[in-house]
Amino acid sequence: MLRYVTRRLISLGLSLLVASALIFSVVELVPGDPASFMLGTGAQPETVAALRQQMGLDLPLPLRYLHWLGRVLTGDLGHSFTYKTPVAGMILDRMQVSLPLALLALALAALIALPIGMFAAARRGRAGDTAVMAATQVGIALPNFWFAMLLVLLFAVRLRWLPAGGFPGWDHPAAALKSLLLPAIALALPQAAILARVLRSALVETLGQDYIRTARAKGLSAGQALSRHALRNALIPVLTILGMQFSFLLAGAIIIENVFYLPGLGRLIFQAITQRDLIVVQGAVLVLVAAVILVTFLVDLSYALVDPRLRR
């Protein structure tokens, strides 16, 4: 197991290095000059040149990358061109919204999908299975921003149970969780539909294996064989989807964050792109990519825990 973890850690480090080079290169090669954007179209060329020198934009691209990478390794993601504040602090503030939102949405998706997927697999080919598959197809096709607005109309406007938007901060934990509940439900529904279909397919395939028939022949009921033997062996594709969904929920909630006026990381990236604040874009995207790679690493470790054969 130690050798397995070591190999994965080396792979993780190399992936982060390659990702940092790609992120820096792509963002730096985007058309437009941040200095000109900040000073406006009426700025004098000498003023623009001085600002470019102050920002380090006059250096060659490889040298700028090495300087940026050296700062990143010490935890310094630079200063925002627009807000004049450390990028790391801005990202940390936004992650206090995006990370709990992603975790809450993922937990809701798993709580919804696991029993539904098991129910459908246990009744494959029957009316219950057909109904679940039809419902999950609707859940996948349903736009989450439209569903979010329906949730606002029902629970915020009509029933007044939950707030329609905004985030009060974690100084008031109960109010903060209430403000994240509706957007988490809007994000969780399509992910739960996907996860339920994957789990159902994996369980149906596993239930056809010889060892399941042997367990049934020894006297286990269908439900016992499913929960004790089939479920664990069907978890590999489910864990893969969970890892992918967490990455999506962390980085891809821009629309939902705007619907509910949440100051999350996705909204920060969108604002930084519109303001040509490239240093913020680089730092935020790097953090997201690092989170995706870290989640992939943790999923790989969970594979080895679920199926010991993978350690070899």
Side-chain angles (χ1 to χ4, degrees), residues 23-54:
I23 292 167
F24 185 86
S25 301
V26 170
V27 173
E28 287 291 326
L29 294 176
V30 171
D33 183 14
S36 300
F37 183 85
M38 291 173 62
L39 295 174
T41 56
Q44 297 295 323
E46 296 82 5
T47 307
V48 175
L51 182 58
R52 283 181 56 82
Q53 183 177 10
Q54 180 183 350

Side-chain angles (χ1 to χ4, degrees), residues 152-288:
V152 170
L153 289 174
L154 177 60
F155 293 102
V157 177
R158 182 176 293 273
L159 298 177
R160 300 182 182 275
W161 289 353
L162 295 168
F167 185 73
W170 290 106
D171 294 335
H172 308 281
L177 287 174
K178 287 179 65 175
S179 68
L180 293 180
L181 187 56
L182 287 184
I185 294 173
L187 288 169
L189 181 66
Q191 306 307 317
I194 296 171
L195 191 60
R197 293 179 72 90
V198 171
L199 177 60
R200 183 259 182 196
S201 299
L203 283 173
V204 167
E205 181 180 354
T206 305
L207 288 172
Q209 300 296 322
D210 292 338
Y211 67 88
I212 297 295
R213 286 192 288 268
T214 302
R216 292 296 309 278
K218 289 182 177 180
L220 289 183
S221 65
Q224 290 173 330
L226 187 149
S227 59
R228 293 183 187 179
H229 299 284
L231 181 59
R232 181 171 181 177
N233 289 281
L235 283 181
I236 296 297
V238 173
L239 291 172
T240 302
I241 296 298
L242 280 174
M244 295 172 60
Q245 286 181 336
F246 177 76
S247 304
F248 166 77
L249 292 170
L250 187 60
I254 297 175
I255 297 177
I256 295 299
E257 287 178 0
N258 280 279
V259 169
F260 290 95
Y261 299 100
L262 296 176
L265 192 58
R267 197 173 180 189
L268 173 65
I269 294 174
F270 176 76
Q271 293 170 340
I273 291 173
T274 59
Q275 296 167 348
R276 296 288 301 163
D277 202 342
L278 299 184
I279 194 70
V280 174
V281 177
Q282 287 173 341
V285 173
L286 181 65
V287 168
L288 289 176

Side-chain angles (χ1 to χ4, degrees), residues 6 12 45 83 95 171 258 261:
T6 302
L12 183 147
Y83 300 102
M95 285 290 284
D171 294 335
N258 280 279
Y261 299 100

